[in-house]
């Protein structure tokens, strides 16, 4: 049996690459594993050799020490791999298949899964609906920033690529199907983007860039991206977006008016989440900034897609309310403008097959949009450090050096 190496959280601001157990078709005890999940048998699962696994902004929240994640937690929920072993209950996925893994873990059997709400599956996390790999308070399923990983409910969840050679040619695009491309698309779709829409995207990190590209795919006439880091905004410009540097220009409505002639957009997307900053040169953390600003610049009866991560506990928050996930949002403004809000994890399985076909047939170029950058497993700590500095890159880890 081969060994296994993985990227693990090692305390605030630190990750490490460590030797770890080769996965089994059972959930063993370990850092972050819910006690009620220990010993859970997964004969419906598979063991994957990881081909690519990406660093996500959601991982970065944990690494900054902004959650209750325990040290030793193996990170990573964006996984693409080759099937090495199948459980006795797996019927349709075969050894050798190359697959994308949705970051939501979903059983396929509960009411929510039957209604396509795979982001809030009722059977995978004993604490509350919804689960993910390598993430705090998500049931303790072991993360996939590793050489090998176990994936449960394989027949239901896994997206098989039709041709392995074709998939490897497009691997930097296809690796985005596990999370950020469906997440960005969900943000745009749930914001009501349609042909001719004007769209504002808050945040030019990878999810924001994916949302901007998705808005273009949905037919938006203008996509405006706002951020505090000029390098990220240059990346948004590279595929046709208008941009606003909110470090330099703190009046978002005024900047939108200069672009569109009016200070409002049809649709807005929050791709920032709970670590939001205020606007302007001296701005500091202000977690409700994005939610309040997009309500302000979205027209009456408009829709707000909110794929940015918000948490129920934020020990490092700026005030006591925010530490419990309570933010000072102008809900009355949203009510008065009859806004529609769509929040929560993205139900990846609603979108990933269609987005795969868009990639394979040359309609979507998500790797270019997010500036996919390949690194080795050993370079993961450096990748986390660079990502935290705000570089305009989406880091793709290549555990076995196959790219």
């Amino acid at each position: 049996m081969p060994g296994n190496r993985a990227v693990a959280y090692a305390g605030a601001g630190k990750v490490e690459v460590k030797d770890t157990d080769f996965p089994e078709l059972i959930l063993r005890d370990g850092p972050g594993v819910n006690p009620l999940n220990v010993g859970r048998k997964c004969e419906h699962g598979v063991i994957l050799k990881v081909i690519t696994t990406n660093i996500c902004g959601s991982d970065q929240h944990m690494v900054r020490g902004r959650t209750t994640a325990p040290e030793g937690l193996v990170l990573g929920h964006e996984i693409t791999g080759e099937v090495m072993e199948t459980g006795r209950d797996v019927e349709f996925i075969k050894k050798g298949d190359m697959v994308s893994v949705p970051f939501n873990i979903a059983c396929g059997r509960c009411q929510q899964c039957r209604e396509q709400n795979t982001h809030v599956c009722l059977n995978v996390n004993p604490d509350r609906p919804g689960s993910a790999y390598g993430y705090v308070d998500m049931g303790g399923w072991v993360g996939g920033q590793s050489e090998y990983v176990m994936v449960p409910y394989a027949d239901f969840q896994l997206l098989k690529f039709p041709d392995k050679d074709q998939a490897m040619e497009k691997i930097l695009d296809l690796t985005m199907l596990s999370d950020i491309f469906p997440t960005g698309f969900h943000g745009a779709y749930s914001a009501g983007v349609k042909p001719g829409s004007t769209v504002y995207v808050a945040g030019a990190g990878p999810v924001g860039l994916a949302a901007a590209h998705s808005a273009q795919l949905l037919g938006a006439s203008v996509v405006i991206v706002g951020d505090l880091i000029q390098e990220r905004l240059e990346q948004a410009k590279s595929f046709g977006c208008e941009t606003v540097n909110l470090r330099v220009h703190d009046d978002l409505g005024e900047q939108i008016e200069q672009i569109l002639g009016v200070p409002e957009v049809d649709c807005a997307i929050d791709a920032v989440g709970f670590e939001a900053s205020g606007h302007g040169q001296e701005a500091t953390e202000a977690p409700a900034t994005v939610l309040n600003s997009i309500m302000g610049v979205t027209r009456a009866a408009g829709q707000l897609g909110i794929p940015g991560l918000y948490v129920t506990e934020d020990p490092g928050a700026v005030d006591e309310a925010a530490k419990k996930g309570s933010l000072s949002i102008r809900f009355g403004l949203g009510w008065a403008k009859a806004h529609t809000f769509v929040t929560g994890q993205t139900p990846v399985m609603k979108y990933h097959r269609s987005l795969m076909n868009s990639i394979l047939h040359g309609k979507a170029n998500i790797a270019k949009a997010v500036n996919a950058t390949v690194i080795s497993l050993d370079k993961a700590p450096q990748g986390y450090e660079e990502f935290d500095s705000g570089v305009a890159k989406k880091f793709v880890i290549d555990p076995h050096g196959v790219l």
Side-chain angles (χ1 to χ4, degrees):
M1 179 180 293
N4 195 20
R5 299 169 71 233
V7 180
Y9 174 60
K14 296 184 291 185
V15 300
E16 63 181 6
V17 180
K18 68 174 188 178
D19 293 327
T20 188
D21 294 334
F22 191 81
E24 303 174 77
L25 296 173
I26 186 171
L27 190 54
R28 301 290 188 188
D29 196 9
V33 179
N34 190 302
L36 297 176
N37 260 349
V38 173
R40 186 168 181 160
K41 296 179 180 179
C42 297
E43 290 294 343
H44 43 64
V46 298
I47 307 298
L48 295 184
K49 177 182 179 181
V50 178
I51 296 173
T52 55
T53 178
N54 314 326
I55 296 176
C56 179
S58 298
D59 300 319
Q60 197 71 61
H61 292 306
M62 288 188 291
V63 173
R64 290 187 187 121
R66 293 297 296 263
T67 71
T68 56
E71 292 187 21
L73 180 74
V74 174
L75 301 167
H77 54 269
E78 301 189 13
I79 307 164
T80 304
E82 180 182 354
V83 177
M84 304 292 292
E85 177 186 342
T86 62
R88 67 171 179 239
D89 297 334
V90 177
E91 184 176 0
F92 304 113
I93 294 294
K94 305 298 182 185
K95 183 176 179 180
D97 286 347
M98 188 170 166
V99 297
S100 176
V101 183
F103 81 88
N104 326 106
I105 302 171
C107 71
R109 297 154 166 81
C110 69
Q111 178 185 353
Q112 295 288 11
C113 286
R114 290 175 186 273
E115 294 177 357
Q116 296 190 340
N117 298 318
T118 54
H119 55 314
V120 283
C121 174
L122 301 176
N123 289 331
V124 288
N125 183 354
D127 287 338
R128 62 177 181 271
S131 192
Y133 302 90
Y135 211 83
V136 60
D137 296 332
M138 287 289 187
W141 300 88
V142 179
Q145 286 175 13
S146 56
E147 294 175 326
Y148 301 91
V149 68
M150 189 271 283
V151 174
Y153 305 106
D155 278 333
F156 176 64
Q157 296 191 101
L158 295 182
L159 176 66
K160 177 184 172 181
F161 300 139
D163 182 90
K164 290 171 69 173
D165 291 336
Q166 180 191 34
M168 287 304 295
E169 290 175 6
K170 296 274 191 177
I171 189 61
L172 290 184
D173 294 287
L174 295 172
T175 190
M176 306 303 167
L177 291 173
S178 57
D179 183 355
I180 69 160
F181 196 9
T183 294
F185 191 88
H186 179 63
Y189 182 81
S190 59
V193 178
K194 59 186 178 182
S197 294
T198 57
V199 184
Y200 174 67
V201 180
V207 170
L209 296 172
H213 183 46
S214 298
Q216 293 173 333
L217 291 175
L218 288 167
S221 59
V222 181
V223 179
I224 303 168
V225 180
D227 201 279
L228 303 169
I229 300 174
Q230 188 59 35
E231 181 186 349
R232 288 184 167 194
L233 294 173
E234 293 300 325
Q235 181 62 28
K237 286 182 181 178
S238 74
F239 59 95
C241 298
E242 300 285 346
T243 62
V244 175
N245 188 324
L246 293 165
R247 184 74 71 194
V248 177
H249 308 288
D250 60 2
D251 190 325
L252 177 58
E254 180 181 294
Q255 298 308 307
I256 289 175
E257 185 170 18
Q258 289 185 11
I259 296 168
L260 299 178
V262 294
E264 290 185 322
V265 292
D266 297 317
C267 317
I269 303 162
D270 173 2
V272 177
F274 73 101
E275 286 192 74
S277 170
H279 300 164
Q281 292 285 355
E282 305 301 322
T284 57
E285 184 171 323
T289 297
V290 171
L291 294 171
N292 288 329
S293 65
I294 63 176
M295 282 190 280
V297 300
T298 303
R299 65 170 174 82
Q303 295 178 212
L304 312 179
I306 308 173
L309 174 68
Y310 288 88
V311 293
T312 56
E313 292 184 77
D314 178 10
V318 294
D319 57 55
E320 289 303 314
K323 288 179 181 180
K324 300 175 183 177
S326 297
L327 307 182
S328 298
I329 64 170
R330 297 183 64 194
F331 191 75
L333 175 62
W335 189 94
K337 296 178 79 171
H339 283 158
T340 298
F341 300 77
V342 179
T343 67
Q345 290 186 36
T346 296
V348 169
M349 292 179 68
K350 277 189 178 180
Y351 308 109
H352 65 175
R353 186 173 299 278
S354 296
L355 295 177
M356 175 188 72
N357 287 333
S358 296
I359 289 169
L360 294 179
H361 295 286
K363 302 300 182 184
N365 298 290
I366 186 65
K368 177 179 181 294
V370 302
N371 194 18
T373 303
V374 179
I375 60 174
S376 68
L377 190 68
D378 288 320
K379 294 290 187 182
Q382 181 181 332
Y384 270 95
E385 186 176 341
E386 288 188 42
F387 188 37
D388 195 45
S389 73
V391 295
K393 298 177 181 178
K394 173 67 173 178
F395 287 106
V396 177
I397 298 173
D398 175 12
H400 296 278
V402 299
L403 301 190

